[in-house]
């Protein structure tokens, strides 16, 4: 099992910045990819950004140029730096980890952290 603990959400004005953190513990070996998803009220959960163990990154078009995902392997932590925040970024943000073993892939989720951007 993998446990994910998120922190860093909150209330910020439009144009401001926040940094989210997610620390993994437990069976962290073989975690291939970690990322952030978000879910706004009445909408489906969507990928924001993810990063592989090798450092390759992937971003949703709506956050490219504003958000940066990074990871500290020594701390088993992934970060999401969010700049130039917009009201449409308001959502619950969830940390995700994908653990790959022979013939099997497992998804793990954090509890979510609220990000609210006021206009």
């Amino acid at each position: 099992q993998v446990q994910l603990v998120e922190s860093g959400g909150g209330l910020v004005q439009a144009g401001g910045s926040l940094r989210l953190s997610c620390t993994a513990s437990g069976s962290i070996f073989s975690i291939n990819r970690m990322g952030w998803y978000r879910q706004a009220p009445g909408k489906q959960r969507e990928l924001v950004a993810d990063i592989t163990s090798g450092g390759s990154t992937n971003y949703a078009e709506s956050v490219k140029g504003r958000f940066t995902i990074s990871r500290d392997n020594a701390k088993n932590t992934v970060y999401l730096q969010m700049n130039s925040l917009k009201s449409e970024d308001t959502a619950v943000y969830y940390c995700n980890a994908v653990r790959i073993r022979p013939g099997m892939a497992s998804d793990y989720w954090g509890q979510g952290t609220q990000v609210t951007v006021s206009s």
Side-chain angles (χ1 to χ4, degrees):
Q1 290 295 319
V2 174
Q3 294 79 43
L4 302 173
V5 178
E6 302 136 332
S7 62
L11 173 64
V12 65
Q13 288 189 329
S17 298
L18 281 175
R19 189 176 83 154
L20 306 182
S21 300
C22 173
T23 299
S25 61
S27 301
I28 60 174
F29 58 93
S30 299
I31 289 180
N32 175 263
R33 185 171 72 246
M34 294 185 71
W36 292 93
Y37 286 70
R38 66 186 180 187
Q39 188 167 20
K43 294 188 176 181
Q44 289 190 330
R45 191 172 296 190
E46 62 176 0
L47 174 69
V48 177
D50 62 18
I51 184 167
T52 68
S53 55
S56 297
T57 58
N58 178 45
Y59 294 92
E61 283 296 325
S62 59
V63 307
K64 281 183 179 178
R66 299 189 298 122
F67 291 10
T68 303
I69 190 169
S70 60
R71 65 191 290 171
D72 184 334
N73 289 330
K75 295 182 178 180
N76 304 316
T77 299
V78 63
Y79 305 98
L80 185 68
Q81 178 66 44
M82 305 185 293
N83 298 329
S84 303
L85 282 160
K86 306 175 181 180
S87 57
E88 50 263 44
D89 295 317
T90 295
V92 178
Y93 284 69
Y94 296 91
C95 180
N96 170 261
V98 177
R99 185 176 164 217
I100 297 177
R101 291 162 287 173
M104 184 176 180
S106 302
D107 262 304
Y108 300 91
W109 295 92
Q111 79 283 359
T113 185
Q114 177 71 46
V115 172
T116 303
V117 184
S118 63
S119 55

